[in-house]
Amino acid sequence: MQLKIYNSLSGEKEIFKPIIEGHVGLYVCGPTVYSNVHMGNVRTFLSFDFVYRTLKYLGYSVRYVRNITDAGHLTDDGNVGNDRFVKQSKLEKLEPMEIVQKYTVDFHSILSLFNSLPPSIEPMATGHILEQLEITKTLIEKGFAYEVNGSVYFDVYAYNEKGGNYGILSRRNIEELFSNTRDLDGQEEKKNPQDFALWKRASSEHIMKWPSPWGEGFPGWHLECTAMSTKYLGLSFDIHGGGMDLKFPHHECEIAQGKACNGINPVHYWMHANMLTLNGQKMSKSTGNTILPMALISGENSFFGKGFSPMVVRFFFLQAHYRSVVDLSYDALLASEKGFLRLVDALKTLETLVPSDLSSLPIVSWVEKCDAALLDDFNSPILISHIFEVVKWIFYIKGGEETISHRDLSFLTKKLNGYFYDVLGLDFPKSNNSEKLDDVLQILIDLRNQARKAKNFELSDKIRNKLLKQGIELKDGKNGTTYSLK
């Protein structure tokens, strides 16, 4: 069986063929650390954490590079008033690099809560100014860039005339791009409206600036990823990922820069995680339709009736394919919480199963189906649906309705734990709510058993029916009474 990846460049699923057999170079655009990470960011990074985990599970040696944008200059106009780091540093009365440190630490702590693995390398844009300057000089020498008043711009027309295809990733026609370009500050310096900044001249008011052959300035946003990805993964590498919002212009510009500078396509497979909405609406700070991770976890927000464990939120995201739009809603989170707790309950029950001489369940074919889901463009929702087949089996075995041999029980335990912990990146909830639920239910089960022994079937049935209305089903088997979440 072969891994298939949806390549945004071709718009199709393609059989994955790494440049070096058995090894994968994976680059993901990281955060811009001038403010708190929001749930849309979390969804993107957890999507690629799952991709990273799956590649490792499939046996690949992975070098995972995820950058930190700490230069701050995301606009072409060079206006210090548009420098987000400077704005935030004035607001919080901190130096720009204090802002960088504060929000980088916050970013790491948030992803840690959701059990995200750290990347192999996490370079920072300000640590790679020399590499960005060298690429800019090369592009000027090759005729793909030009300098105006201390700023350097990439020449999109020159790139296309020399065999490039600006718009190849987003499938946009260059003439349409030019005609639809808005008038922005700084456009008068450019030859063409779609030309983008490689280096911008800094005014005297700028705090974050560096010397260059064209005067003091700062790098363009698109340049940093080209510099860092090629430094650590080579001039052409396997997979580049990021959010759907980065496809144009950021990733489009990366392709143009990389190919113009080095003469080859920089990336073989482009992957994009789709957007997160909140209660059916686009998430937006300006409208207030947004939520921060800790507010979702604590329940201190105006959207949801209670908080949710980070593992429930991670499970919620994984129930949708990374290329699907996901809507964050109270009902959806409640349903995910119910499913997650049922899965946790099954894993606990698995440890108590008593094997027999024979198996009555197709364990091997089940594993093949799970692996096939992973090989089909990292299909986490299909994997989870197969996992819940086993959840049913576990309770059937516990209730004496199915049997499993010693060998199959060992194999099932290894594979199910592998999918749960290593691939999906889940873990048992950090809070003791699940344990409290177990204790309370055990008390009710004991009371029901006492009622049955006393032939008080009215009370026994009442307890069972009340629990069933709450989505908790009691099952009486030869090994005692168990419960499962419906």
Side-chain angles (χ1 to χ4, degrees), residues 17-31:
K17 296 179 181 178
I19 297 170
I20 302 175
E21 187 175 354
H23 296 261
V24 178
L26 170 65
Y27 185 88
V28 174
C29 291

Side-chain angles (χ1 to χ4, degrees), residues 77-89:
D77 57 23
N79 186 345
V80 70
N82 290 328
D83 186 324
R84 298 180 185 182
F85 283 79
V86 172
K87 284 182 177 180
Q88 198 65 19
S89 67

Side-chain angles (χ1 to χ4, degrees), residues 75-352:
T75 59
D76 273 355
D77 57 23
N79 186 345
V80 70
N82 290 328
D83 186 324
R84 298 180 185 182
F85 283 79
V86 172
K87 284 182 177 180
Q88 198 65 19
S89 67
K90 289 180 178 178
L91 184 66
E92 299 191 34
K93 294 182 173 58
L94 297 171
E95 288 293 322
M97 292 312 292
E98 286 183 286
I99 294 293
V100 168
Q101 180 68 11
K102 174 182 176 180
Y103 290 109
T104 299
V105 170
D106 176 69
F107 170 68
H108 289 150
S109 63
I110 290 296
L111 287 195
S112 178
L113 280 175
F114 292 99
N115 205 26
S116 178
L117 297 174
S120 312
I121 304 172
E122 192 171 55
M124 304 184 83
T126 54
H128 296 77
I129 299 297
L130 291 178
E131 289 84 354
Q132 296 175 71
L133 289 173
E134 287 303 312
I135 292 173
T136 303
K137 286 189 280 187
T138 299
L139 289 171
I140 292 175
E141 291 168 3
K142 290 188 173 184
F144 291 107
Y146 55 92
E147 183 267 338
V148 180
N149 298 326
S151 296
V152 181
Y153 297 95
F154 186 89
D155 193 330
V156 173
Y157 258 145
Y159 172 68
N160 273 30
E161 288 174 353
K162 295 180 181 181
N165 185 1
Y166 188 80
I168 188 173
L169 181 63
S170 55
R171 295 171 180 76
R172 302 190 184 198
N173 181 281
I174 192 169
E175 299 298 335
E176 292 177 1
L177 287 174
F178 282 13
S179 64
N180 291 332
T181 299
R182 295 179 293 113
D183 290 331
L184 298 172
D185 292 337
Q187 291 283 17
E188 66 277 0
E189 289 186 342
K190 300 180 183 181
K191 290 181 180 179
N192 312 297
Q194 282 298 327
D195 293 352
F196 54 89
L198 299 170
W199 187 263
K200 284 297 298 182
R201 180 186 71 254
S203 66
S204 58
E205 293 85 7
H206 269 96
I207 300 173
M208 301 174 78
K209 55 188 175 183
W210 296 265
S212 81
W214 318 285
E216 283 195 326
F218 51 86
W221 175 36
H222 313 306
L223 187 61
E224 66 180 63
C225 283
T226 294
M228 289 183 281
S229 63
T230 54
K231 177 171 182 175
Y232 297 108
L233 297 175
L235 301 184
S236 186
F237 57 93
D238 296 302
I239 302 172
H240 192 315
M244 191 70 73
D245 56 320
L246 298 181
K247 183 183 287 189
F248 184 88
H250 185 49
H251 291 164
E252 197 75 70
C253 294
E254 281 192 64
I255 293 175
Q257 290 168 163
K259 188 172 182 180
C261 183
N262 303 310
I264 55 177
N265 288 317
V267 178
H268 288 206
Y269 302 86
W270 286 91
M271 296 179 64
H272 293 93
N274 218 322
M275 308 302 289
L276 178 69
T277 59
L278 178 60
N279 292 325
Q281 301 293 323
K282 182 180 178 180
M283 295 185 75
S284 170
K285 288 183 180 179
S286 61
T287 63
N289 193 54
T290 187
I291 186 169
L292 295 175
M294 291 311 300
L296 178 59
I297 293 169
S298 67
E300 296 177 2
N301 62 82
S302 59
F303 297 103
F304 307 124
K306 70 184 190 73
F308 292 91
S309 158
M311 288 299 98
V312 169
V313 177
R314 183 180 178 106
F315 182 69
F316 164 74
F317 285 141
L318 290 169
Q319 284 183 294
H321 193 267
Y322 77 90
R323 287 194 287 115
S324 301
V325 175
V326 176
D327 185 50
L328 192 64
S329 71
Y330 191 47
D331 287 344
L333 285 168
L334 285 174
S336 289
E337 182 177 57
K338 190 174 179 180
F340 176 71
L341 292 177
R342 178 169 169 78
L343 178 54
V344 167
D345 184 31
L347 285 166
K348 291 180 179 179
T349 303
L350 181 64
E351 298 175 357
T352 70

Side-chain angles (χ1 to χ4, degrees), residues 53 115 311 314-315 318 339-345 347 366 383 387 413-429:
R53 288 172 176 274
N115 205 26
M311 288 299 98
R314 183 180 178 106
F315 182 69
L318 290 169
F340 176 71
L341 292 177
R342 178 169 169 78
L343 178 54
V344 167
D345 184 31
L347 285 166
W366 171 76
L383 170 64
I387 286 175
T413 301
K414 177 183 177 181
K415 297 303 293 187
L416 185 56
N417 282 324
Y419 293 135
F420 183 82
Y421 293 106
D422 300 330
V423 180
L424 294 174
L426 299 170
D427 202 348
F428 282 14

